[in-house]
Amino acid sequence: LNPKYVLPDRKTVREMIKKKFEAKKKDIKEIIAKNDSNINFTTDVWSSLIKDPYLSLTSHFIDNEWELNEFLLDVPYFPHPHDASMVCDSIEQILDDFGISEKFHSISCDNAANMCFAAEMLCEKRENAIHVRTRDLSFSKRVVSSHLFPCFKLIEDHLRCCETDQNFDFIKDAIVDMKDKFLAYWEKIIDVALICHMLDPRFKKSYLEGKVLKKRATDLFKSRFGSYESLNLNSQAETSSDTSTKEKPKTLMERMISKVTNTKNNNDDEINKYFKQPPIEFSNETNVLLWWKENSKTFPCIAKMARDYLSLMPTSVPSEKTFSIGGLTVDENRTKLHSNTVKELLCLKSWLN
């Protein structure tokens, strides 16, 4: 060590942290602004060693290079009351701060009543927004949303088997209660689970059994595809109107027939082509996002769906991870850290990694 080096005092270190935080936050905002896919979120509430409450909001999205990104957006000090409206308002403030309120696609949280109600409030304000509540589903650096359907289907089959097994008659009432509670929750998320599952080229429709389920999945996929196709057509129409002034305008009837015919053909062609291809090999080395990057031009509209749905987090583990780091940050030797400093340290830890 250099004996002439003078350690910076507390105020200097505080200013260094703040300056680095502001600079890095600006970089994160620019990265998110350049991304044209929707964003999924995880959230939770935590109390530090000295009982200071904090709210976390983490973003998850697939960028333009088909890389899965995870950014902790904020960990604000969150005093009581912790009711749903307060949670909702705090999250809305963070979304507005980063300018991503319109990109909200889904939010995952634990089963705490206030968090669930807050998530429902956030989703009610946005069309087609999704609220998800659920060791195979806990990774934040790989695609796991497509595993929801097979995992939950396995649980359902196991509960139904136990319900009819005479060896479990002594706890049959408990099993029936478990099954009913599970099915009530499963019905709330099965649609998003099916879409994520079919968007994984390793699965597609391989694990869908029965005509009723297959029809439900197919109709659901076509419906969501239609929504994305409409957005794509509107975008193309705006572009063509700026560049194709030389073409002779068509009559109203011709334009209507052309739009309906082209949309139907495009829908059928792209969807049929995608599902006619056999699923790719399933292994730990298979990179789903790389496959989509290489095939995004072949399936342009389905690829947009994949970018939104495959970055969805089926658990709130990323938020739990943030608070595990928070427990190491606000330890017995740092109980007097200001809440702003705690927030900046936790965000920097996420951003610099």
Side-chain angles (χ1 to χ4, degrees):
L1 295 177
N2 187 345
K4 294 183 180 181
Y5 178 76
V6 179
L7 288 173
D9 59 23
R10 178 177 59 84
K11 291 184 178 180
T12 302
V13 173
R14 174 74 186 91
E15 288 302 316
M16 291 169 62
I17 294 173
K18 184 176 181 180
K19 185 177 180 180
K20 185 69 174 177
F21 170 80
E22 295 295 342
K24 197 61 182 175
K25 183 176 180 179
K26 182 179 179 181
D27 294 341
I28 298 300
K29 284 185 175 182
E30 291 177 355
I31 292 173
I32 294 176
K34 292 177 182 178
N35 172 63
D36 56 13
S37 68
N38 289 325
I39 302 175
N40 301 290
F41 301 92
T42 51
T43 186
D44 203 357
V45 175
W46 167 75
S47 293
S48 69
L49 181 66
I50 56 175
K51 306 303 180 183
D52 282 343
Y54 294 87
L55 172 75
S56 77
L57 185 68
T58 305
S59 64
H60 310 268
F61 61 90
I62 297 172
D63 62 24
N64 300 335
E65 296 299 321
W66 286 92
E67 294 289 337
L68 186 59
N69 288 259
E70 174 189 328
F71 291 121
L72 174 64
L73 298 182
D74 207 348
V75 194
Y77 179 65
F78 189 54
H80 292 276
H82 290 169
D83 56 46
S85 60
M86 292 295 291
V87 174
C88 180
D89 290 345
S90 296
I91 292 176
E92 289 284 12
Q93 290 176 13
I94 299 172
L95 297 177
D96 290 340
D97 182 27
F98 280 82
I100 53 177
S101 182
E102 298 300 320
K103 291 185 176 182
F104 186 104
H105 184 246
S106 77
I107 187 164
S108 304
C109 63
D110 59 23
N111 286 324
N114 61 330
M115 302 303 292
C116 290
F117 286 138
E120 294 294 341
M121 291 170 67
L122 288 163
C123 292
E124 286 174 1
K125 298 178 181 179
R126 298 164 173 88
E127 186 178 2
N128 295 321
I130 303 163
H131 171 210
V132 181
R133 294 176 290 179
T134 72
R135 184 158 121 139
D136 194 32
L137 300 175
S138 299
F139 298 101
S140 60
K141 294 297 184 181
R142 68 174 72 170
V143 172
V144 291
S145 58
S146 58
H147 297 199
L148 262 176
F149 180 79
C151 286
F152 271 58
K153 190 67 174 68
L154 184 64
I155 294 173
E156 180 184 359
D157 292 343
H158 183 68
L159 286 173
R160 292 189 184 280
C161 182
C162 290
E163 184 182 17
T164 57
D165 192 333
Q166 294 182 352
N167 293 323
F168 294 101
D169 281 348
F170 67 103
I171 56 170
K172 187 172 183 178
D173 290 342
I175 292 174
V176 171
D177 289 341
M178 289 171 60
K179 185 200 71 174
D180 292 343
K181 186 175 182 180
F182 168 82
L183 291 177
Y185 174 58
W186 183 216
E187 185 59 32
K188 293 180 180 180
I189 67 167
I190 187 171
D191 285 351
V192 66
L194 283 169
I195 293 176
C196 292
H197 185 68
M198 290 185 287
L199 286 171
D200 191 323
R202 299 170 298 179
F203 296 131
K204 296 189 178 181
K205 295 183 180 180
S206 299
Y207 292 92
L208 304 184
E209 300 175 351
K211 293 182 178 179
V212 175
L213 181 61
K214 287 183 178 180
K215 185 179 186 307
R216 176 177 181 172
T218 301
D219 292 344
L220 180 65
F221 194 92
K222 288 183 177 180
S223 175
R224 292 303 299 135
F225 181 94
S227 299
Y228 279 77
E229 182 69 11
S230 297
L231 293 174
N232 190 41
L233 285 173
N234 290 336
S235 176
Q236 290 177 355
E238 292 176 2
T239 304
S240 61
S241 64
D242 294 334
T243 58
S244 58
T245 57
K246 296 182 180 180
E247 293 184 9
K248 184 178 179 181
K250 296 181 179 180
T251 64
L252 176 62
M253 185 59 68
E254 287 176 330
R255 291 200 301 270
M256 291 175 62
I257 294 174
S258 175
K259 182 175 180 180
V260 172
T261 304
N262 290 339
T263 301
K264 186 177 186 302
N265 289 340
N266 290 340
N267 286 3
D268 292 342
D269 290 347
E270 187 171 339
I271 293 174
N272 290 336
K273 188 175 181 180
Y274 173 69
F275 284 113
K276 281 182 179 179
Q277 287 188 0
I280 63 176
E281 180 185 2
F282 188 98
S283 70
N284 292 330
E285 289 72 34
T286 304
N287 188 327
V288 175
L289 298 184
L290 179 60
W291 186 92
W292 271 115
K293 182 178 181 180
E294 294 172 346
N295 290 272
S296 59
K297 292 183 179 180
T298 306
F299 310 108
C301 191
I302 300 178
K304 290 183 178 180
M305 293 173 60
R307 284 183 63 186
D308 287 348
Y309 279 91
L310 295 183
S311 61
L312 184 148
M313 287 291 114
T315 73
S316 60
V317 165
S319 293
E320 300 289 349
K321 181 178 66 176
T322 296
F323 294 142
S324 294
I325 298 171
L328 299 175
T329 303
V330 188
D331 60 15
E332 294 178 352
N333 298 318
R334 304 190 189 98
T335 56
K336 294 189 180 297
L337 280 175
H338 193 278
S339 59
N340 285 340
T341 305
V342 175
K343 175 183 75 172
E344 291 163 4
L345 288 171
L346 291 178
C347 286
L348 283 172
K349 172 70 175 176
S350 169
W351 298 343
L352 294 174
N353 284 345

